[in-house]
Amino acid sequence: MKKEEESSNGVDVGSNSNSNSKFPLSFWEVTAASTVVLGFLFGLVGVYLTMPASDYSFLKLPRNLEDLQILRDHLERYTSDYTAQVLVGYCMVYIFMQTFMIPGTVFMSLLAGSLFGVFRGVALVVFTATAGASSCYFLSKLIGRPIVFSLWPDKLKFFQAQVAKRKQGLLNYMLFLRLTPTLPNTFINFASPIVDVPYHIFFLATIIGLIPAAFVTVRAGLALGELQSVGDLYDFQSIATLFFIGIVSITPTLVRNNNS
């Protein structure tokens, strides 16, 4: 009776797939997670050993546009001569922020556009955001259940119900979530393994669904000095465009549900 009550309240999410006696990560998930961790460590060591001796007191996570402009001005001096080191360092910081849900990745996306241009910047942001989201997914699969329950109980119930209803068109639904601000990306990264979203679905929806928003943010980084606030990034036209793309992505699922 108690187990039924817990299940009806949304507490027993994903208990069938993650029993206490079974390690929560598959072999391939362990391999992917280990690759991210090792790449992170080797990248940091490589950047540290190959950068010139200098004053790096300007290096800090940007919290506002003023911090970002100072960081951009300093990094521009190194980007041409130490492109590989700057790229690796950028990737490490972005992945770290995504993995541990540290706010401010929007500033990192703006920085990518300012330093590397639109096309390279979008590729860089999509790659690092997907890697960071993946490592957050693996981390949550190991230790995330109590954290999700305490931080987002209502969102978790909603997400659980939607995923359960859309098993046949889950990729389309996950694309819709990535393309629109229906649920925060941080929540999606951390809650997906708890509600049994398969990693291959999560990965595909992330790497494809982040492209439009990344393009908007990276392009804005080209005119970083003209931005007055982060809110200037997403005007009505940008939000409407993202929602339109999201609705198009979920339409096949809605049609399938209506015909079944």
Side-chain angles (χ1 to χ4, degrees), residues 18 23-36 134 137-138 141 193 197-200:
N18 292 329
F23 189 68
L25 297 184
S26 69
F27 170 79
W28 292 112
E29 289 172 339
V30 169
T31 302
S34 300
T35 301
V36 170
S134 297
Y137 177 101
F138 300 138
K141 203 166 186 180
V197 175
Y199 177 66
H200 69 280

Side-chain angles (χ1 to χ4, degrees), residues 136-147:
C136 184
Y137 177 101
F138 300 138
L139 179 66
S140 177
K141 203 166 186 180
L142 286 171
I143 62 171
R145 189 176 301 274
I147 299 174

Side-chain angles (χ1 to χ4, degrees), residues 2 5 12 17 22 28 34 39 73 83 90 122 142 147 153 156 158 175 191 197 199 203 217 246-247 256-257:
K2 184 177 180 181
E5 291 177 358
D12 196 28
S17 61
K22 182 180 179 182
W28 292 112
S34 300
D73 291 342
T83 304
Y90 176 94
V122 169
L142 286 171
I147 299 174
L156 185 65
F158 171 79
L175 276 171
V197 175
Y199 177 66
F203 175 83
T217 310
I247 291 171
R256 188 184 302 114
N257 291 340

Side-chain angles (χ1 to χ4, degrees), residues 21 55 58 102 120 136 188:
S21 61
D55 178 16
F58 65 88
I102 299 174
R120 287 190 297 172
C136 184
I188 296 171

Side-chain angles (χ1 to χ4, degrees), residues 86-105:
V86 173
L87 278 172
V88 172
Y90 176 94
C91 291
M92 296 303 100
V93 172
Y94 203 121
I95 292 171
F96 179 82
M97 294 176 70
Q98 282 279 78
T99 300
F100 297 101
M101 301 182 292
I102 299 174
T105 53

Side-chain angles (χ1 to χ4, degrees), residues 11-228:
V11 177
D12 196 28
V13 180
S15 60
N16 291 334
S17 61
N18 292 329
S19 62
N20 292 330
S21 61
K22 182 180 179 182
F23 189 68
L25 297 184
S26 69
F27 170 79
W28 292 112
E29 289 172 339
V30 169
T31 302
S34 300
T35 301
V36 170
V37 172
L38 290 174
F40 184 84
L41 293 176
F42 282 123
L44 285 179
V45 172
V47 170
Y48 176 77
L49 293 177
T50 56
M51 287 296 285
S54 181
D55 178 16
Y56 294 109
S57 59
F58 65 88
L59 287 177
K60 64 176 183 178
L61 294 180
R63 295 301 181 188
N64 51 54
L65 289 175
E66 183 179 356
D67 289 346
L68 181 61
Q69 289 168 355
I70 293 173
L71 182 62
R72 187 274 313 272
D73 291 342
H74 283 86
L75 286 180
E76 279 183 334
R77 305 174 189 173
Y78 295 94
T79 301
S80 58
D81 295 329
Y82 300 94
T83 304
Q85 289 90 334
V86 173
L87 278 172
V88 172
Y90 176 94
C91 291
M92 296 303 100
V93 172
Y94 203 121
I95 292 171
F96 179 82
M97 294 176 70
Q98 282 279 78
T99 300
F100 297 101
M101 301 182 292
I102 299 174
T105 53
V106 63
F107 296 117
M108 297 298 291
S109 298
L110 287 167
L111 182 62
S114 182
L115 292 178
F116 304 109
V118 174
F119 294 106
R120 287 190 297 172
V122 169
L124 184 62
V125 168
V126 171
F127 167 76
T128 51
T130 302
S134 297
S135 58
C136 184
Y137 177 101
F138 300 138
L139 179 66
S140 177
K141 203 166 186 180
L142 286 171
I143 62 171
R145 189 176 301 274
I147 299 174
V148 174
F149 285 141
S150 66
L151 291 180
W152 303 292
D154 295 333
K155 284 187 176 69
L156 185 65
K157 291 178 184 178
F158 171 79
F159 192 27
Q160 177 193 7
Q162 295 301 311
V163 168
K165 285 195 306 184
R166 305 176 193 278
K167 287 292 186 182
Q168 299 302 315
L170 190 54
L171 177 58
N172 298 96
Y173 177 63
M174 292 298 292
L175 276 171
F176 173 79
L177 293 181
R178 287 302 193 189
L179 289 163
T180 64
T182 306
L183 289 173
N185 277 325
T186 298
F187 169 78
I188 296 171
N189 296 342
F190 215 64
S192 289
I194 308 301
V195 298
D196 294 331
V197 175
Y199 177 66
H200 69 280
I201 296 291
F202 176 88
F203 175 83
L204 287 174
T206 301
I207 199 169
I208 297 172
L210 291 181
I211 293 175
F215 176 78
V216 171
T217 310
V218 168
R219 185 181 60 178
L222 296 177
L224 186 58
E226 300 176 10
L227 290 177
Q228 300 299 316

